[in-house]
């Protein structure tokens, strides 16, 4: 029988990033199938494969049947007229077309036999589904393991002293994690997750675990740095702990490169000596990275995943942290591994940010729009000029500080502290209000102020020919393990000793006086991957904290056909708002806010359904 004809991706999806990735994949999939001579079935399968490949490129393991239908309508409402899309969608509600494709051997329930899997209400490419099915079995195996020799069973004064000062939820998390091979500690910003983990470390060390048998890691270098700073504060004065506890990105701990993630290896001896591995910002873990970790985890090692289940999911495929917390929290057994911390030490119940975050998580679209307007937290997107005027107002104090710094009255530390006070967060990198465009506009504005108000800076070197200038806010966009710089590190450009340096905060303890020595300097001529960072995406900001946050969201009504809005949802709003410690303002249309609040399905994945339906193991 004839093979399905080569699919022209550009007919339906015009994004370059998708076309380049999907064309090869589509050709691969269609060659693995024999097609019936029914033209309707042939057209349906072409659409379905394109949709599922698009889901994969955008980080989703699959689509629900409903989402598949809505996506066909939303992305290109005129492209499918020749395929009788209206009739197809009518039949979709009765699943006639799904059964039609099943009869044509296009997909079924077994990922080893079909290129597309239909599982419950989910449609997924067989490769994506196979990874989630395997991951679910690994999670089930680790979740049921309880260690008998638990520090929770030790009635010692050390346990009592270590738990002193912790609230009830934190104590339960510490004692529960000490008794388990696998556990999850989840909670919002400032709920004391790191405090609980450091108490767990102290208990395990008292029980005979050595500091060099403990590893603290995270999916990104920036998250590792923040975890290290917290560790330095908690173990101030305990140099043995600070010197011997491993701190590394998860990729580096596992000895893998990003390109290696698809090739899952078996359990190895690389991590054989570890007794405790803690993964911070676990909501950033995708399916492949978590699979790699579970495959290589030593039998005797405890694994603690720590994160905020309400934050944005990973950039890669899947959302396993969300699926695990949802499925395991519903377990009726006594071995539930989920420990949730609810008491926030950062936001008081009456704080503006705390109230807004709660409203985003539990309110509906009408309620959040009314709330934002009533509290005067929402500013409309009148035009680009008015948006940039608001941004200039937000950065006015910092721009004045830059000018004052040229006289030598402002220290590098003062500039650094000021640079971390205010941040502009965007939903996208591209677009008129994306981080790339905003950073370019801000750079031009600040350089103009330098050059207009004084010529002394040029002579002194405060403004360079390459566009760098003293106080310019920069971010690393790649890892430099040799220098200890990581993707996401924020710092400033400073002029000293006749050249420009990239300065970042040094890891300090709580007793640090904030002197000049609390900065690290790196010659910029030796660095690659620096980019301006007055504005950054919400994804990139995940795990960071700023005093004041201005959120700029691209307009969903103006750019739906050009921009991917699949990730603009409640989680993005929640993550953006909770990056602020003092104040937050949002520049957006009410239509975009409503879209984000109503877009809640993106957090769900087939993994959740698989975990909930796995047969229990004795």
């Amino acid at each position: 029988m004839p093979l399905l004809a080569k699919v022209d991706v550009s007919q339906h999806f015009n994004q370059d990033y998708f076309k380049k990735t999907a064309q090869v994949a589509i050709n691969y999939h269609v060659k693995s199938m024999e097609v019936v001579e029914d033209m309707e079935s042939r057209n349906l399968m072409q659409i379905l494969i394109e949709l599922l490949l698009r889901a994969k490129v955008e980080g989703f393991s699959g689509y629900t049947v409903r989402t598949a239908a809505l996506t066909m309508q939303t992305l290109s409402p005129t492209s499918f007229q020749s395929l009788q899309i209206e009739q197809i969608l009518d039949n979709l509600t009765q699943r006639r077309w799904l059964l039609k494709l099943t009869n044509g051997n296009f997909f079924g329930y077994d990922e080893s036999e079909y290129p597309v899997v239909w599982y419950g209400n989910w449609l997924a490419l067989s490769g994506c589904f196979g990874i989630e099915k395997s991951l679910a079995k690994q999670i089930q195996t680790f979740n049921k393991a309880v260690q008998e020799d638990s520090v929770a069973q030790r009635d010692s004064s050390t346990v009592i002293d270590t738990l002193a000062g912790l609230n009830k939820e934190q104590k339960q998390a510490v004692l529960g994690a000490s008794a388990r091979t696998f556990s999850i500690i989840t909670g919002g910003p400032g709920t004391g997750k790191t405090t609980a983990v450091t108490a767990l470390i102290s208990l395990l060390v008292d029980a005979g675990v050595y500091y060099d048998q403990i590893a603290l890691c995270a999916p990104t270098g920036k998250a590792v740095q923040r975890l290290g700073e917290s560790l330095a504060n908690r173990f101030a004065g305990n140099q043995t702990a600070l010197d011997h506890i491993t701190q590394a990105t998860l990729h580096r701990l596992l000895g893998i490169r990003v390109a290696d993630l698809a090739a899952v290896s078996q359990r190895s001896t690389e991590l054989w000596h570890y007794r405790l591995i803690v993964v911070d910002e676990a909501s950033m873990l995708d399916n492949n990275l978590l699979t790699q970790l579970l495959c290589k985890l030593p039998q005797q090692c405890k694994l603690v995943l720590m994160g905020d289940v309400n934050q944005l999911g990973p950039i890669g495929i899947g959302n396993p942290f969300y699926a695990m917390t949802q499925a395991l929290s519903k377990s009726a057994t006594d071995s539930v591994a989920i420990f949730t911390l609810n008491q926030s030490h950062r936001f008081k119940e009456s704080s503006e940010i705390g109230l807004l975050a709660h409203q985003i998580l539990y309110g509906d679209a009408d309620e959040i729009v009314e709330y934002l307007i009533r509290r005067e937290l929402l500013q409309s997107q009148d035009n680009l000029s008015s948006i940039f005027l608001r941004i200039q107002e937000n950065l006015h104090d910092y721009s004045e500080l830059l000018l004052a710094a040229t006289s030598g009255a402002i220290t590098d530390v003062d500039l650094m502290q000021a640079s971390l006070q205010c941040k502009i967060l965007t939903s996208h990198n591209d677009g008129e209000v994306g981080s790339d465009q905003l950073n370019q506009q801000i750079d031009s504005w600040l350089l103009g102020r330098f050059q207009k108000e004084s010529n002394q800076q040029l002579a002194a070197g405060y403004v360079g020919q390459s566009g760098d200038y003293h106080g310019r806010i920069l971010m690393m966009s790649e890892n430099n393990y040799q220098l200890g710089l990581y993707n996401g590190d924020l710092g400033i450009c400073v002029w000293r000793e006749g050249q420009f340096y990239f300065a970042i905060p040094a890891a300090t303890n709580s007793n640090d006086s904030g002197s000049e020595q609390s900065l690290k300097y790196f010659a910029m001529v030796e660095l690659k991957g620096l980019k301006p960072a007055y504005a950054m995406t919400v994804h990139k900001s995940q795990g960071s904290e700023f005093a004041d946050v201005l959120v700029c969201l691209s307009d969903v009504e103006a750019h739906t056909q050009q921009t991917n809005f699949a990730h603009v949802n409640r989680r993005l709003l929640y993550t953006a708002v909770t990056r602020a410690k003092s104040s937050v303002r949002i520049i957006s249309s009410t239509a975009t806010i409503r879209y984000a609040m109503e877009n809640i399905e993106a957090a769900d994945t087939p993994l959740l359904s698989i975990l909930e339906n796995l047969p229990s193991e004795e």
Side-chain angles (χ1 to χ4, degrees):
M1 302 187 72
L3 295 176
L4 186 61
K6 181 178 180 180
V7 178
D8 179 11
V9 183
S10 61
Q11 177 184 359
H12 306 306
F13 306 113
N14 58 11
Q15 289 91 338
D16 288 338
Y17 79 91
F18 174 71
K19 286 190 291 186
K20 292 176 182 177
T21 305
Q23 188 64 70
V24 174
I26 287 178
N27 293 337
Y28 170 80
H29 280 287
V30 298
K31 286 180 181 179
S32 68
M33 297 181 300
E34 290 187 346
V35 48
V36 296
E37 295 181 355
D38 183 348
M39 183 58 68
E40 182 184 21
S41 294
R42 172 174 170 159
N43 289 335
L44 282 170
M45 197 59 193
Q46 174 175 322
I47 295 172
L48 183 59
I49 290 180
E50 290 185 36
L51 288 175
L52 294 178
L53 282 165
R54 181 183 180 88
K56 181 178 179 181
V57 170
E58 292 176 351
F60 302 123
S61 302
Y63 280 143
T64 62
V65 174
R66 176 177 178 272
T67 300
L70 294 177
T71 304
M72 281 192 280
Q73 291 177 309
T74 303
L75 288 176
S76 190
T78 61
S79 296
F80 299 103
Q81 287 181 354
S82 62
L83 305 181
Q84 299 178 316
I85 189 65
E86 291 183 2
Q87 179 181 349
I88 291 172
L89 292 177
D90 287 341
N91 290 339
L92 180 66
T93 59
Q94 302 173 41
R95 295 193 174 183
R96 292 175 184 170
W97 69 284
L98 295 179
L99 293 172
K100 190 180 188 69
L101 291 177
T102 303
N103 294 334
N105 291 324
F106 287 112
F107 61 74
Y109 300 100
D110 189 344
E111 73 277 6
S112 65
E113 297 182 8
Y114 300 95
V116 175
V117 174
W118 176 14
Y119 180 85
N121 197 38
W122 285 94
L123 297 171
L125 294 175
S126 58
C128 293
F129 183 82
I131 290 176
E132 297 219 332
K133 187 175 179 180
S134 174
L135 185 56
K137 292 180 178 179
Q138 287 179 302
I139 293 169
Q140 184 186 55
T141 299
F142 280 101
N143 182 48
K144 67 183 180 64
V146 178
Q147 297 181 343
E148 295 181 359
D149 185 18
S150 165
V151 296
Q153 299 170 339
R154 298 169 181 260
D155 184 18
S156 69
S157 59
T158 303
V159 174
I160 297 174
D161 291 342
T162 302
L163 298 181
L166 302 184
N167 61 35
K168 181 179 179 180
E169 293 174 340
Q170 289 173 315
K171 291 178 181 178
Q172 289 175 340
V174 173
L175 295 176
S178 74
R180 302 191 52 82
T181 297
F182 170 72
S183 55
I184 294 175
I185 300 177
T186 182
T191 52
K193 297 185 293 293
T194 304
T195 300
V197 165
T198 53
L200 173 63
I201 291 173
S202 296
L203 287 185
L204 293 179
V205 169
D206 178 60
V209 176
Y210 296 103
Y211 286 120
D212 60 5
Q213 294 177 315
I214 299 171
L216 303 182
C217 55
T220 68
K222 181 62 178 176
V224 173
Q225 183 187 52
R226 290 191 301 271
L227 189 59
E229 292 169 355
S230 298
L231 186 71
N233 287 332
R234 301 295 178 185
F235 288 101
N238 186 347
Q239 198 60 41
T240 301
L242 299 179
D243 289 343
H244 290 87
I245 293 178
T246 299
Q247 301 174 50
T249 63
L250 192 51
H251 295 84
R252 199 173 192 188
L253 184 75
L254 298 176
I256 57 177
R257 298 171 301 172
V258 175
D260 297 329
L261 284 176
V264 178
S265 61
Q266 297 301 314
R267 194 180 306 273
S268 71
T269 59
E270 296 171 4
L271 309 178
W272 65 270
H273 66 286
Y274 286 111
R275 299 285 300 279
L276 172 67
I277 294 178
V278 177
V279 182
D280 194 16
E281 299 296 343
S283 62
M284 296 182 184
L285 292 173
D286 62 19
N287 287 344
N288 283 323
L289 189 53
L290 181 58
T291 299
Q292 282 277 24
L293 173 61
L294 295 182
C295 281
K296 294 185 176 183
L297 197 68
Q299 295 282 0
Q300 81 284 1
C301 184
K302 295 178 184 293
L303 174 63
V304 177
L305 302 182
M306 184 168 64
D308 185 351
V309 70
N310 293 310
Q311 284 194 26
L312 283 169
I315 299 296
I317 299 173
N319 197 343
F321 189 71
Y322 171 83
M324 286 187 294
T325 53
Q326 295 300 303
L328 299 181
S329 63
K330 298 176 183 178
S331 173
T333 68
D334 294 331
S335 60
V336 175
I338 308 296
F339 304 100
T340 303
L341 308 182
N342 295 301
Q343 183 179 341
S344 176
H345 303 284
R346 185 191 304 178
F347 305 130
K348 295 180 179 179
E349 292 184 3
S350 59
S351 73
E352 186 74 82
I353 298 171
L355 291 172
L356 178 56
H358 184 273
Q359 193 73 12
I360 291 172
L361 289 179
Y362 303 107
D364 60 27
D366 291 335
E367 289 172 336
I368 194 62
V369 169
E370 188 276 332
Y371 182 91
L372 290 171
I373 294 174
R374 174 163 48 86
R375 296 272 186 167
E376 298 182 347
L377 301 177
L378 181 65
Q379 299 175 333
S380 62
Q381 293 177 319
D382 300 326
N383 53 64
L384 292 177
S385 297
S386 64
I387 291 175
F388 194 65
L389 281 176
R390 296 188 188 109
I391 291 173
Q392 288 178 329
E393 292 172 0
N394 216 45
L395 292 173
H396 177 267
D397 290 345
Y398 189 70
S399 68
E400 292 293 318
L401 202 63
L402 292 185
L403 293 173
T406 61
S407 66
I410 306 298
T411 68
D412 294 349
V413 171
D414 292 334
L415 271 181
M416 178 65 70
Q417 292 175 344
S419 73
L420 298 175
Q421 291 302 300
C422 175
K423 189 60 61 180
I424 301 160
L425 301 182
T426 66
S427 54
H428 295 82
N429 281 313
D430 56 354
E432 294 176 333
V433 291
S435 59
D436 292 342
Q437 180 66 19
L438 292 182
N439 280 320
Q440 183 179 341
Q441 290 179 294
I442 294 168
D443 262 342
S444 298
W445 169 59
L446 291 174
L447 277 171
R449 291 205 64 187
F450 264 120
Q451 295 166 348
K452 177 181 178 181
E453 302 198 16
S454 174
N455 289 322
Q456 295 178 357
Q457 298 90 333
L458 293 172
Y462 281 98
V463 177
Q465 297 298 322
S466 62
D468 289 316
Y469 52 89
H470 188 68
R472 187 187 192 193
I473 300 177
L474 298 170
M475 178 176 61
M476 286 290 294
S477 60
E478 58 185 57
N479 293 326
N480 187 324
Y481 293 116
Q482 184 176 2
L483 295 177
L485 291 171
Y486 301 99
N487 185 357
D489 278 351
L490 286 170
I492 58 173
C493 171
V494 297
W495 175 260
R496 56 187 279 155
E497 301 172 353
Q499 63 176 314
F500 284 114
Y501 286 84
F502 177 55
I504 64 171
T508 60
N509 59 49
S510 57
N511 297 320
D512 196 293
S513 61
S515 65
E516 196 77 20
Q517 285 69 41
S518 61
L519 298 183
K520 292 181 181 179
Y521 294 88
F522 305 88
M524 289 182 56
V525 294
E526 300 176 1
L527 299 179
K528 296 187 301 181
L530 286 173
K531 56 189 295 187
Y534 298 94
M536 60 195 301
T537 62
V538 178
H539 274 93
K540 206 71 173 180
S541 73
Q542 197 155 297
S544 298
E545 300 174 9
F546 309 100
D548 306 302
V549 167
L550 180 65
V551 184
C552 294
L553 303 180
S554 298
D555 189 353
V556 66
E557 289 186 323
H559 300 288
T560 298
Q561 297 301 319
Q562 292 77 32
T563 307
N564 169 27
F565 274 81
H567 69 278
V568 179
N569 48 44
R570 286 185 188 234
R571 293 170 175 275
L572 181 131
L573 282 180
Y574 170 82
T575 304
V577 165
T578 53
R579 297 314 91 205
K581 294 188 291 186
S582 300
S583 70
V584 62
R585 294 291 183 273
I586 301 175
I587 298 178
S588 171
S589 66
T590 55
T592 301
I593 297 295
R594 291 180 183 278
Y595 177 92
M597 289 294 292
E598 293 169 355
N599 185 17
I600 58 177
E601 194 173 28
D604 204 357
T605 70
L607 179 60
L608 176 56
S609 298
I610 298 171
L611 284 170
E612 290 177 336
N613 291 285
L614 278 177
S616 60
E617 295 184 0
E618 296 299 332

